[in-house]
């Protein structure tokens, strides 16, 4: 299956107003990387042990890239943060504004990105479009970049890459940065809602991005959305609460479709069959497709997604596809064939993502 190709025009950042419900997200695709390109490693949220950062740097060298570690990476503030807000912001500004840096990989999530929202204007976020990679707490930064008119990658981080970077989540992220765009084929799921839709992919970790409603990090303020949601070790009732907050703020009315990722270790205090079943009951009335079971989030497999990109989802009785309508070499990826033999315990993954110490 070949994905549609299109090269998106740069976003006119002056037309994006922070609190304009129904704005149009038209994001620039940053240039793909070339051998020898410099990639910044920064820690916008919780700190990462320098050993992990240095191992990730070795992985990047093996990929033919030149890693550059942020000046404040390795610092610790208040027991968990990767330095003070000013230090984390300084590394972020450096990585965004240094034109010799062609991509940014975040070292870890955890908490702290919400503190960055009012620290820079959208114009500064989007001044030098380049790929930024991360997930979990980095969902806030994806929202900021997408609102600033720049696509980004929801994908694995240094704390995971340090294991060697040979797992498919890492190699597919690498290939994406180098210009190979995945077209995902996903198995059928009992909670799917069939349908076909095209829109702009936004979202991430629901307990991270839902509190950003009404801020300049709120990419769900856009129209014609494909909303991606994942979560880890949260109660059913808190996921239900965050989802209803999105609905009451009109987010679901602006959605053309919804993609549900991993919900690893989440609660079962209600008698719903699953988190997907709980959320499906709300989505039926919107008459939009629902794609469940996409392997992205805090699970053993965290396949890369291009946030801010136009995507098409096709949900059928026999399975589903998710394709990015952007320029690049196309590669079909069957998610059912993804190798999960190198299983990492949830407790370890929680530490790597910054959800636990």
């Amino acid at each position: 299956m070949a994905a549609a190709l299109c090269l998106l025009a740069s976003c006119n950042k002056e037309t994006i107003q922070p609190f304009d419900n129904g704005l149009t997200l038209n994001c620039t695709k940053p240039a793909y990387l070339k051998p020898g390109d410099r990639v910044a490693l920064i820690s916008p949220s919780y700190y990462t042990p320098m050993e992990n950062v240095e191992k990730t740097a070795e992985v990047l060298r093996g990929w033919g890239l030149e890693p550059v570690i942020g000046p404040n990476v390795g610092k610790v503030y208040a027991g968990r943060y990767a330095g003070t807000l000013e230090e984390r912001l300084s590394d972020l500004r450096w990585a965004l504004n240094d034109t010799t840096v062609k991509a940014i990989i975040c070292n870890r999530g955890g908490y702290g990105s919400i503190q960055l929202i009012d620290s820079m204007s959208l114009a500064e976020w989007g001044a030098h479009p380049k790929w930024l990679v991360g997930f979990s707490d980095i969902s806030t930064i994806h929202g900021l970049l997408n609102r600033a008119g720049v696509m980004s990658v929801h994908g694995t981080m240094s704390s995971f890459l340090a294991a060697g970077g040979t797992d498919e989540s890492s190699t597919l992220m690498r290939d994406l940065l180098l210009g190979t765009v995945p077209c995902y084929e996903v198995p059928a799921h009992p909670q799917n809602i069939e349908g076909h839709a095209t829109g702009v992919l936004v979202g991430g970790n629901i307990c991270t991005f839902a509190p950003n409603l009404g801020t300049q990090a709120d990419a769900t303020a856009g129209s014609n959305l494909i909303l991606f949601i994942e979560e880890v070790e949260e109660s059913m009732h808190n996921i239900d609460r965050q989802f209803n907050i999105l609905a009451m703020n009109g987010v679901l009315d602006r959605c053309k479709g919804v993609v549900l990722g991993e919900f690893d270790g989440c609660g079962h205090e209600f008698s719903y069959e699953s988190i997907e079943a709980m959320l499906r009951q709300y989505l039926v009335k919107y008459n939009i497709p629902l794609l469940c079971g996409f392997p992205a989030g805090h699970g053993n497999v965290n396949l890369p997604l291009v946030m801010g990109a136009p995507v098409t989802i096709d949900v059928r009785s026999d399975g589903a596809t998710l394709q990015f309508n952007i320029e690049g070499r196309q590669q079909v990826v069957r998610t059912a064939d993804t190798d999960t033999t190198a299983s990492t315990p949830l407790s370890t993954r929680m530490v790597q993502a910054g959800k636990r110490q």
Side-chain angles (χ1 to χ4, degrees):
M1 180 183 303
L5 302 179
C6 79
L7 180 62
L8 297 181
S10 297
C11 178
N12 179 353
K13 299 169 186 62
E14 292 183 355
T15 66
I16 294 184
Q17 301 300 319
F19 306 105
D20 175 16
N21 286 334
L23 60 86
T24 298
L25 295 176
N26 184 20
C27 297
T28 296
K29 179 189 69 59
Y32 293 123
L33 301 185
K34 307 183 300 297
D37 276 350
R38 286 158 55 90
V39 178
L41 299 174
I42 64 170
S43 300
S45 303
Y46 279 177
Y47 80 92
T48 307
M50 281 304 298
E51 179 184 5
N52 287 347
V53 179
E54 289 162 357
K55 287 179 179 178
T56 298
E58 284 301 311
V59 169
L60 294 181
R61 291 187 190 100
W63 292 352
L65 303 169
E66 181 185 345
V68 189
I69 298 173
N72 291 301
V73 169
K75 292 185 177 179
V76 182
Y77 175 71
R80 295 196 176 189
Y81 293 121
T84 64
L85 174 59
E86 291 74 19
E87 288 168 335
R88 288 179 281 132
L89 187 60
S90 175
D91 277 7
L92 185 56
R93 276 201 164 104
W94 157 74
L96 287 170
N97 294 326
D98 187 334
T99 56
T100 70
V101 170
K102 303 303 180 183
I104 303 167
I105 294 178
C106 297
N107 292 322
R108 195 183 185 198
Y111 176 75
S113 65
I114 195 170
Q115 300 162 354
L116 304 168
I117 290 177
D118 291 330
S119 299
M120 292 194 296
S121 68
L122 290 180
E124 189 172 358
W125 280 100
H128 305 287
K130 60 189 69 177
W131 294 110
L132 181 140
V133 184
F135 73 105
S136 193
D137 191 56
I138 308 304
S139 297
T140 292
I141 298 181
H142 291 309
L144 285 161
L145 285 167
N146 297 164
R147 285 295 303 271
V150 182
M151 297 181 197
S152 55
V153 177
H154 182 283
T156 194
M157 300 180 287
S158 292
S159 48
F160 297 86
L161 290 169
T166 58
D167 60 285
E168 287 181 87
S169 301
S170 299
T171 57
L172 285 171
M173 183 270 284
R174 173 202 64 196
D175 294 346
L176 174 58
L177 293 178
L178 293 169
T180 298
V181 181
C183 174
Y184 293 114
E185 296 185 353
V186 188
H189 190 284
Q191 302 301 334
N192 279 355
I193 298 175
E194 294 180 30
H196 181 93
T198 295
V200 179
L201 187 65
V202 299
N205 182 263
I206 190 170
C207 288
T208 298
F209 76 81
N212 298 337
L213 290 175
T215 73
Q216 67 173 3
D218 181 16
T220 68
S223 58
N224 299 319
L225 305 175
I226 302 293
L227 182 64
F228 167 67
I229 296 172
E230 65 88 19
E231 194 45 84
V232 64
E233 286 198 338
E234 281 289 346
S235 63
M236 272 188 161
H237 70 262
N238 196 31
I239 294 172
D240 183 272
R241 176 189 294 117
Q242 303 301 327
F243 195 79
N244 273 284
I245 288 171
L246 296 176
M248 290 184 289
N249 279 274
V251 174
L252 300 182
D253 293 314
R254 298 191 290 276
C255 286
K256 297 295 184 180
V258 173
V259 177
L260 298 183
E262 301 282 0
F263 293 92
D264 238 18
C266 289
H268 296 283
E269 67 267 34
F270 300 129
S271 59
Y272 297 112
E273 179 182 342
S274 61
I275 301 291
E276 292 86 350
M278 180 180 74
L279 299 183
R280 186 185 194 276
Q281 67 175 337
Y282 297 117
L283 288 166
V284 170
K285 67 179 182 181
Y286 290 94
N287 296 315
I288 57 176
L290 170 63
L291 193 166
C292 298
F294 188 88
H298 290 75
N300 272 301
V301 179
N302 184 17
L303 300 184
L305 293 167
V306 185
M307 310 308 289
V311 297
T312 297
I313 60 171
D314 185 33
V315 185
R316 309 172 307 278
S317 61
D318 62 343
T321 57
L322 186 158
Q323 64 183 43
F324 301 99
N325 302 322
I326 59 176
E327 177 193 36
R329 299 179 297 274
Q330 305 298 314
Q331 176 187 11
V332 173
V333 176
R334 296 175 177 83
T335 65
D337 297 337
T338 305
D339 184 8
T340 59
T341 55
S343 179
T344 303
L346 175 60
S347 58
T348 301
R349 282 181 272 122
M350 290 291 284
V351 171
Q352 290 171 321
K355 289 286 189 177
R356 293 185 194 168
Q357 284 299 96

